[in-house]
Short mmCIF file of all heavy atoms in Angstrom, two decimals:
data_model
loop_
_atom_site.label_atom_id
_atom_site.label_comp_id
_atom_site.label_asym_id
_atom_site.label_seq_id
_atom_site.Cartn_x
_atom_site.Cartn_y
_atom_site.Cartn_z
N ASP A 1 -7.71 -12.68 32.01
CA ASP A 1 -8.82 -11.77 31.63
C ASP A 1 -8.52 -11.09 30.27
O ASP A 1 -9.44 -10.93 29.46
CB ASP A 1 -9.01 -10.69 32.69
CG ASP A 1 -9.65 -11.22 33.98
OD1 ASP A 1 -10.19 -12.35 33.94
OD2 ASP A 1 -9.57 -10.51 35.00
N TYR A 2 -7.28 -10.71 30.07
CA TYR A 2 -6.91 -10.08 28.81
C TYR A 2 -7.16 -11.02 27.64
O TYR A 2 -7.77 -10.65 26.63
CB TYR A 2 -5.44 -9.64 28.84
CG TYR A 2 -4.89 -9.18 27.55
CD1 TYR A 2 -5.26 -7.97 27.01
CD2 TYR A 2 -4.01 -9.98 26.84
CE1 TYR A 2 -4.74 -7.54 25.78
CE2 TYR A 2 -3.52 -9.58 25.62
CZ TYR A 2 -3.88 -8.36 25.09
OH TYR A 2 -3.42 -7.97 23.89
N VAL A 3 -6.65 -12.22 27.71
CA VAL A 3 -6.81 -13.19 26.64
C VAL A 3 -8.30 -13.49 26.44
O VAL A 3 -8.78 -13.55 25.30
CB VAL A 3 -6.04 -14.49 26.90
CG1 VAL A 3 -6.43 -15.60 25.95
CG2 VAL A 3 -4.54 -14.23 26.84
N GLU A 4 -9.03 -13.61 27.51
CA GLU A 4 -10.47 -13.85 27.45
C GLU A 4 -11.19 -12.70 26.74
O GLU A 4 -12.14 -12.89 25.98
CB GLU A 4 -11.02 -14.08 28.83
CG GLU A 4 -12.45 -14.63 28.83
CD GLU A 4 -12.89 -14.99 30.26
OE1 GLU A 4 -13.23 -14.07 31.01
OE2 GLU A 4 -12.87 -16.20 30.53
N SER A 5 -10.76 -11.47 26.97
CA SER A 5 -11.42 -10.30 26.39
C SER A 5 -11.24 -10.27 24.88
O SER A 5 -12.12 -9.73 24.18
CB SER A 5 -10.87 -8.99 27.01
OG SER A 5 -9.56 -8.71 26.52
N ILE A 6 -10.14 -10.80 24.39
CA ILE A 6 -9.91 -10.82 22.93
C ILE A 6 -10.52 -12.09 22.34
O ILE A 6 -11.10 -12.05 21.26
CB ILE A 6 -8.38 -10.77 22.64
CG1 ILE A 6 -7.79 -9.50 23.14
CG2 ILE A 6 -8.13 -10.97 21.14
CD1 ILE A 6 -6.28 -9.46 23.10
N GLY A 7 -10.35 -13.20 23.02
CA GLY A 7 -10.82 -14.48 22.55
C GLY A 7 -9.68 -15.28 21.99
O GLY A 7 -8.96 -14.80 21.09
N TRP A 8 -9.46 -16.48 22.47
CA TRP A 8 -8.37 -17.31 22.06
C TRP A 8 -8.44 -17.63 20.57
O TRP A 8 -7.45 -17.63 19.88
CB TRP A 8 -8.35 -18.62 22.89
CG TRP A 8 -7.14 -19.43 22.64
CD1 TRP A 8 -7.12 -20.69 22.09
CD2 TRP A 8 -5.78 -19.09 22.87
NE1 TRP A 8 -5.82 -21.12 21.99
CE2 TRP A 8 -4.98 -20.17 22.43
CE3 TRP A 8 -5.15 -17.96 23.39
CZ2 TRP A 8 -3.58 -20.14 22.53
CZ3 TRP A 8 -3.76 -17.94 23.47
CH2 TRP A 8 -3.00 -19.03 23.05
N GLU A 9 -9.66 -17.89 20.06
CA GLU A 9 -9.80 -18.22 18.66
C GLU A 9 -9.39 -17.02 17.78
O GLU A 9 -8.76 -17.18 16.73
CB GLU A 9 -11.22 -18.65 18.33
CG GLU A 9 -11.59 -20.01 18.92
CD GLU A 9 -11.94 -19.95 20.41
OE1 GLU A 9 -12.23 -18.86 20.92
OE2 GLU A 9 -11.84 -21.02 21.06
N ALA A 10 -9.74 -15.82 18.20
CA ALA A 10 -9.39 -14.60 17.45
C ALA A 10 -7.85 -14.41 17.46
O ALA A 10 -7.29 -14.05 16.43
CB ALA A 10 -10.07 -13.38 18.03
N ILE A 11 -7.26 -14.67 18.60
CA ILE A 11 -5.78 -14.59 18.68
C ILE A 11 -5.11 -15.57 17.73
O ILE A 11 -4.23 -15.20 16.96
CB ILE A 11 -5.30 -14.80 20.16
CG1 ILE A 11 -5.69 -13.60 21.02
CG2 ILE A 11 -3.81 -15.05 20.20
CD1 ILE A 11 -5.46 -13.82 22.51
N GLN A 12 -5.57 -16.80 17.77
CA GLN A 12 -4.99 -17.82 16.90
C GLN A 12 -5.20 -17.50 15.42
O GLN A 12 -4.27 -17.66 14.63
CB GLN A 12 -5.62 -19.20 17.20
CG GLN A 12 -5.15 -19.78 18.52
CD GLN A 12 -5.79 -21.13 18.81
OE1 GLN A 12 -7.01 -21.28 18.69
NE2 GLN A 12 -4.96 -22.07 19.17
N ALA A 13 -6.38 -17.03 15.08
CA ALA A 13 -6.65 -16.69 13.66
C ALA A 13 -5.75 -15.55 13.16
O ALA A 13 -5.22 -15.59 12.05
CB ALA A 13 -8.13 -16.34 13.49
N HIS A 14 -5.59 -14.53 14.00
CA HIS A 14 -4.75 -13.37 13.61
C HIS A 14 -3.29 -13.79 13.48
O HIS A 14 -2.63 -13.43 12.49
CB HIS A 14 -4.92 -12.26 14.65
CG HIS A 14 -4.17 -11.02 14.31
ND1 HIS A 14 -4.52 -10.23 13.23
CD2 HIS A 14 -3.07 -10.47 14.85
CE1 HIS A 14 -3.68 -9.19 13.16
NE2 HIS A 14 -2.79 -9.31 14.14
N GLU A 15 -2.81 -14.56 14.45
CA GLU A 15 -1.41 -15.01 14.37
C GLU A 15 -1.18 -15.93 13.18
O GLU A 15 -0.15 -15.85 12.51
CB GLU A 15 -1.01 -15.71 15.66
CG GLU A 15 -0.87 -14.74 16.84
CD GLU A 15 -0.47 -15.41 18.13
OE1 GLU A 15 -0.25 -16.63 18.17
OE2 GLU A 15 -0.39 -14.67 19.13
N ARG A 16 -2.16 -16.74 12.91
CA ARG A 16 -2.05 -17.66 11.70
C ARG A 16 -1.98 -16.85 10.42
O ARG A 16 -1.16 -17.11 9.56
CB ARG A 16 -3.20 -18.64 11.71
CG ARG A 16 -3.14 -19.60 10.55
CD ARG A 16 -4.34 -20.54 10.52
NE ARG A 16 -4.25 -21.46 9.47
CZ ARG A 16 -3.84 -22.73 9.58
NH1 ARG A 16 -3.52 -23.22 10.77
NH2 ARG A 16 -3.78 -23.52 8.56
N ALA A 17 -2.84 -15.87 10.30
CA ALA A 17 -2.85 -15.01 9.09
C ALA A 17 -1.54 -14.28 8.93
O ALA A 17 -0.97 -14.22 7.82
CB ALA A 17 -4.01 -14.04 9.13
N LEU A 18 -1.01 -13.74 10.02
CA LEU A 18 0.28 -13.05 9.94
C LEU A 18 1.42 -14.02 9.63
O LEU A 18 2.34 -13.69 8.87
CB LEU A 18 0.58 -12.30 11.24
CG LEU A 18 -0.34 -11.10 11.55
CD1 LEU A 18 0.06 -10.48 12.88
CD2 LEU A 18 -0.31 -10.08 10.45
N GLY A 19 1.34 -15.22 10.18
CA GLY A 19 2.34 -16.25 9.91
C GLY A 19 2.32 -16.64 8.46
O GLY A 19 3.39 -16.80 7.82
N GLU A 20 1.14 -16.79 7.88
CA GLU A 20 1.00 -17.11 6.47
C GLU A 20 1.60 -15.98 5.60
O GLU A 20 2.28 -16.26 4.60
CB GLU A 20 -0.43 -17.38 6.09
CG GLU A 20 -0.94 -18.69 6.68
CD GLU A 20 -2.45 -18.90 6.56
OE1 GLU A 20 -3.17 -17.93 6.22
OE2 GLU A 20 -2.89 -20.03 6.82
N ARG A 21 1.36 -14.77 6.01
CA ARG A 21 1.88 -13.61 5.26
C ARG A 21 3.40 -13.63 5.31
O ARG A 21 4.09 -13.38 4.32
CB ARG A 21 1.35 -12.34 5.92
CG ARG A 21 1.71 -11.05 5.20
CD ARG A 21 1.13 -9.85 5.94
NE ARG A 21 1.13 -8.70 5.13
CZ ARG A 21 0.10 -8.22 4.42
NH1 ARG A 21 -1.08 -8.81 4.48
NH2 ARG A 21 0.21 -7.10 3.72
N PHE A 22 3.99 -13.92 6.48
CA PHE A 22 5.41 -14.00 6.64
C PHE A 22 6.00 -15.07 5.73
O PHE A 22 6.94 -14.86 4.97
CB PHE A 22 5.78 -14.24 8.11
CG PHE A 22 7.24 -14.39 8.35
CD1 PHE A 22 8.04 -13.28 8.47
CD2 PHE A 22 7.84 -15.66 8.46
CE1 PHE A 22 9.43 -13.40 8.69
CE2 PHE A 22 9.19 -15.79 8.69
CZ PHE A 22 10.00 -14.64 8.80
N LEU A 23 5.43 -16.28 5.81
CA LEU A 23 5.94 -17.39 5.00
C LEU A 23 5.84 -17.12 3.51
O LEU A 23 6.76 -17.43 2.77
CB LEU A 23 5.18 -18.66 5.37
CG LEU A 23 5.46 -19.24 6.78
CD1 LEU A 23 4.49 -20.37 7.06
CD2 LEU A 23 6.89 -19.67 6.89
N ALA A 24 4.73 -16.54 3.09
CA ALA A 24 4.55 -16.23 1.67
C ALA A 24 5.54 -15.20 1.16
O ALA A 24 5.89 -15.19 -0.01
CB ALA A 24 3.11 -15.77 1.43
N GLY A 25 5.97 -14.31 2.07
CA GLY A 25 6.84 -13.22 1.65
C GLY A 25 8.33 -13.45 1.83
O GLY A 25 9.13 -12.57 1.51
N LEU A 26 8.73 -14.62 2.34
CA LEU A 26 10.14 -14.85 2.56
C LEU A 26 10.91 -14.84 1.25
O LEU A 26 10.53 -15.48 0.28
CB LEU A 26 10.36 -16.21 3.24
CG LEU A 26 10.17 -16.25 4.75
CD1 LEU A 26 10.33 -17.68 5.27
CD2 LEU A 26 11.16 -15.33 5.48
N PRO A 27 12.03 -14.14 1.21
CA PRO A 27 12.87 -14.08 0.00
C PRO A 27 13.42 -15.49 -0.31
O PRO A 27 13.55 -16.32 0.59
CB PRO A 27 13.97 -13.12 0.34
CG PRO A 27 13.48 -12.29 1.48
CD PRO A 27 12.53 -13.20 2.25
N ASP A 28 13.84 -15.69 -1.55
CA ASP A 28 14.35 -16.99 -1.97
C ASP A 28 15.68 -17.36 -1.28
O ASP A 28 16.02 -18.53 -1.22
CB ASP A 28 14.54 -17.03 -3.49
CG ASP A 28 13.21 -17.04 -4.22
OD1 ASP A 28 12.18 -17.43 -3.64
OD2 ASP A 28 13.20 -16.59 -5.39
N ASN A 29 16.39 -16.37 -0.80
CA ASN A 29 17.70 -16.66 -0.17
C ASN A 29 17.60 -16.93 1.31
O ASN A 29 18.59 -16.90 2.02
CB ASN A 29 18.67 -15.51 -0.44
CG ASN A 29 18.27 -14.24 0.27
OD1 ASN A 29 17.09 -13.98 0.51
ND2 ASN A 29 19.24 -13.39 0.60
N VAL A 30 16.39 -17.24 1.78
CA VAL A 30 16.18 -17.54 3.19
C VAL A 30 15.89 -19.05 3.34
O VAL A 30 15.04 -19.59 2.63
CB VAL A 30 14.98 -16.73 3.76
CG1 VAL A 30 14.60 -17.21 5.15
CG2 VAL A 30 15.30 -15.26 3.79
N ALA A 31 16.64 -19.67 4.25
CA ALA A 31 16.39 -21.07 4.61
C ALA A 31 15.53 -21.09 5.84
O ALA A 31 15.92 -20.58 6.89
CB ALA A 31 17.70 -21.78 4.88
N LEU A 32 14.33 -21.63 5.73
CA LEU A 32 13.37 -21.74 6.85
C LEU A 32 13.52 -23.10 7.47
O LEU A 32 13.61 -24.13 6.75
CB LEU A 32 11.96 -21.53 6.33
CG LEU A 32 10.83 -21.71 7.34
CD1 LEU A 32 10.84 -20.52 8.32
CD2 LEU A 32 9.49 -21.80 6.66
N TYR A 33 13.52 -23.17 8.79
CA TYR A 33 13.58 -24.43 9.49
C TYR A 33 12.22 -24.69 10.13
O TYR A 33 11.62 -23.80 10.70
CB TYR A 33 14.70 -24.42 10.54
CG TYR A 33 16.03 -24.05 9.91
CD1 TYR A 33 16.54 -22.79 10.03
CD2 TYR A 33 16.71 -25.01 9.16
CE1 TYR A 33 17.73 -22.45 9.41
CE2 TYR A 33 17.90 -24.67 8.54
CZ TYR A 33 18.42 -23.40 8.67
OH TYR A 33 19.60 -23.09 8.05
N GLY A 34 11.77 -25.93 10.01
CA GLY A 34 10.44 -26.26 10.53
C GLY A 34 9.43 -26.40 9.40
O GLY A 34 9.77 -26.44 8.25
N LEU A 35 8.21 -26.49 9.80
CA LEU A 35 7.16 -26.70 8.82
C LEU A 35 7.03 -25.54 7.88
O LEU A 35 7.15 -24.38 8.28
CB LEU A 35 5.80 -26.88 9.54
CG LEU A 35 5.73 -28.09 10.48
CD1 LEU A 35 4.47 -28.10 11.33
CD2 LEU A 35 5.88 -29.38 9.72
N PRO A 36 6.77 -25.79 6.58
CA PRO A 36 6.76 -24.74 5.57
C PRO A 36 5.45 -23.94 5.53
O PRO A 36 5.38 -22.90 4.92
CB PRO A 36 6.97 -25.47 4.26
CG PRO A 36 6.38 -26.84 4.53
CD PRO A 36 6.70 -27.13 5.97
N GLY A 37 4.42 -24.42 6.24
CA GLY A 37 3.15 -23.74 6.28
C GLY A 37 2.71 -23.58 7.72
O GLY A 37 3.38 -23.98 8.65
N MET A 38 1.54 -22.95 7.88
CA MET A 38 1.05 -22.71 9.24
C MET A 38 0.31 -23.89 9.85
O MET A 38 0.02 -23.88 11.04
CB MET A 38 0.17 -21.46 9.24
CG MET A 38 0.94 -20.16 9.07
SD MET A 38 2.29 -19.95 10.29
CE MET A 38 1.35 -19.84 11.80
N GLU A 39 0.01 -24.88 9.06
CA GLU A 39 -0.67 -26.05 9.63
C GLU A 39 0.25 -26.77 10.62
O GLU A 39 1.37 -27.16 10.30
CB GLU A 39 -1.06 -27.03 8.50
CG GLU A 39 -1.94 -28.15 8.95
CD GLU A 39 -3.30 -27.69 9.45
OE1 GLU A 39 -3.86 -26.74 8.87
OE2 GLU A 39 -3.78 -28.29 10.45
N GLY A 40 -0.19 -26.87 11.87
CA GLY A 40 0.56 -27.58 12.89
C GLY A 40 1.69 -26.82 13.52
O GLY A 40 2.54 -27.39 14.19
N ARG A 41 1.72 -25.49 13.35
CA ARG A 41 2.80 -24.68 13.96
C ARG A 41 2.23 -23.38 14.47
O ARG A 41 1.11 -23.02 14.20
CB ARG A 41 3.92 -24.44 12.96
CG ARG A 41 3.56 -23.40 11.88
CD ARG A 41 4.72 -22.98 11.02
NE ARG A 41 5.85 -22.49 11.76
CZ ARG A 41 7.12 -22.55 11.37
NH1 ARG A 41 7.40 -23.05 10.17
NH2 ARG A 41 8.08 -22.10 12.10
#
């Protein structure tokens, strides 16, 4: 009911935007493992 009240698409969009913000702001001395963008993750 909780997820339905927010909407799955809204949850995904918000998490994607925050993930993109995180990836864009990572300092140069950080090694990221996994996909470099939010597509497919």
Side-chain angles (χ1 to χ4, degrees):
D1 288 346
Y2 170 74
V3 169
E4 192 173 78
S5 74
I6 297 170
W8 187 244
E9 290 78 20
I11 289 171
Q12 288 179 312
H14 184 69
E15 289 179 3
R16 181 183 182 100
L18 292 179
E20 288 169 348
R21 185 180 195 99
F22 178 81
L23 291 171
L26 278 176
D28 291 337
N29 67 331
V30 172
L32 176 72
Y33 304 101
L35 298 172
M38 287 305 296
E39 188 65 37
R41 74 172 305 153

